[in-house]
Amino acid sequence: MSERGSAGSESDPNRRQLLGLLGVTGLTALSATLVATGTSIEPDDNPDDESETADDDDGEGTGETEEPAPSLSVEWNSIYRDEQPSSFASAQRAEKGFALAGVQLDEDDAGVGWLVQSGGPDTETTDLRHTSALNRSRRQIDEGYAIHDAVETILRVDDGWLLVGWTHDLSPDSKSAWLRRINENGGLQWEKQYGRPGVNSFRDVFFDGVATDDGGAVLAGVTLGSEFIDTRRGDGWLAKVAPDGELVWDRTYNTADTTITDWTKDERHDRFTTIESTENGYLLAGTTTPREASDTVPSEPWIVGVDADGQKLWDTLEERDPAESGERQDRVIADIAPADSGYLAVGTVGNYEYTRSFRSNVFTGEGWIASVEGESFGWQRRLESTSIRTVERLDEEHYLLGGEQEGVAWVGIIESDGELIDERRLHDVEGDVRATTGVEGGRIIVAGRRTQDDIPVGFAAGISGTARDS
C-alpha cells in the first residue's frame, strides 16, 4: 500500500451556484443560461389505465380496500455543467439535501473527481473538485492529460464524507484505488492510495462500500494483474480501512477458491459491484466466470456472504446451461436491496462498451431482476432494451429501478415479484441513470449523465412514487 499526505494547498472551498436547474413549475433563474431537460417530466395521463385498487365501498362486501400502487412523478430535473463533459456515479442523502459524486473532465480532457452538494433545485449548491496525489504531481510537469481521476462512490461518515475513487495512468495504463476524507465544508482531512500488499496487481478499483461503526469503511471491487482486460480477468476484492485510512485487511474471492499472486495464471473473471451490511457481516454481489476461461464462456450473477472480518460464509451463483448463455452475453448484478424474504438483485444481461472519454466500461443489454432467498436465487424476470444500474426500496411492496432504455435515462417501479408497473424516460436525448438515494419526504434522487449540446453532462432529478388515484 502506498500512502499519500494531504495537500497543503487545499482548503475549505467557496460556495457558488451551479448551472441549469429546471423546476416542475418552470425555469428557476440562476446565473447561467438554463437548458430544457426533456419532455417526459410528468406522468402521462392515460384514461384507459386501470390500477389494481378496490372499488369504492358501496356498502357491500368486506369494506376492505387495497393500498393503491405507486406511480412515478418527476418533481424536478436538473443539469450540472460547464463547458466540459461530466457524469455522476453516486448519490447519497446528506444532512440537508443530498450529495452527488462522479467525474468532470478538465481542459485536457482528463478526469477530476467531482462532488456536488445540494438541497434541491432552489438552493445554493456546493461544487468541489478533487485530484489525487499522482494527478497533482503529473500536472506539475505538464502531464495532467495522462492522469484521470474519478469518484466511484461516496460514504457518509461523522462530520463529512469519504470519497472512494480511482486513478487511471495512461502510461502504463494502470488503475489504482484511493480514498479521500473531507469535512462538512469540503476541507481535506486525509487521502490515501491503495495497492495489494505482496501482490503485483495492475488494476485495483473499489466500486462500492459501506461505512463502519468505528468510523472506517469496508470497500468492494475488483483486482487484476493483466493489462486492459478488465472485463475478462480479475478477482473480487474486499478491503477494510480504519478511520485514519490505514488498511486493516484485504481479501480476494473467486468461485475457484484460489488465491492468485501470479496473474499469468488468471483465466477467469470475478468482480464485486456492490455491498450491503448484514447482521453477520456483509453481502457482496457482482459476477463470476464459473466454468472455463472467461475468453470462452460468459460470466454469471454471483453473491457472497462474509463475516465482519471478510471470511467467506457462503456463496451462490446463477449458472445457465452453455446452450442458453447466448452470444457470450455476461450477466452482472449491479445493485441489491433488502426484501422481506431476503434481497432483490438487479442487473443486466449483455456486453461491456468502453466509454473512452470517462475511461470506464459501461454494461448494456437487457435488464435482469431476481430474488435472493436464503443462500440461493429464486424467481427471475427480464426487461427488454433496458440496462438496470440501481434499485431503491420505496415501501414493502415496491422498488424504484434506474438505468437506461434504448440509450435514454430511465426509471421504473416494480412490485416485490419483479413486475413492472410504471416507467418513465427522463429526457429525449441520450443518457443514463447511474445512482439513486432516498431523501426526506419519501423522495428519491436519481443521478447520472445525459447529453446537452452534444456533451455528456451530470444530471439529477427528484422522483416520487406517489399513490395512484383509484
Side-chain angles (χ1 to χ4, degrees), residues 230-253:
D230 304 48
T231 64
R232 291 291 164 216
R233 299 290 186 269
D235 281 353
W237 187 31
L238 189 69
K240 171 71 169 72
V241 297
D244 61 357
E246 290 295 328
L247 182 66
V248 179
W249 50 257
D250 79 316
R251 309 192 193 286
T252 60
Y253 309 80

Side-chain angles (χ1 to χ4, degrees), residues 175-195:
K175 280 186 177 180
S176 55
W178 50 258
L179 299 180
R180 290 168 63 89
R181 181 161 179 161
I182 61 174
N183 62 26
E184 292 282 3
N185 296 319
L188 182 64
Q189 296 180 319
W190 54 257
E191 65 176 331
K192 294 186 185 292
Q193 186 171 318
Y194 299 87

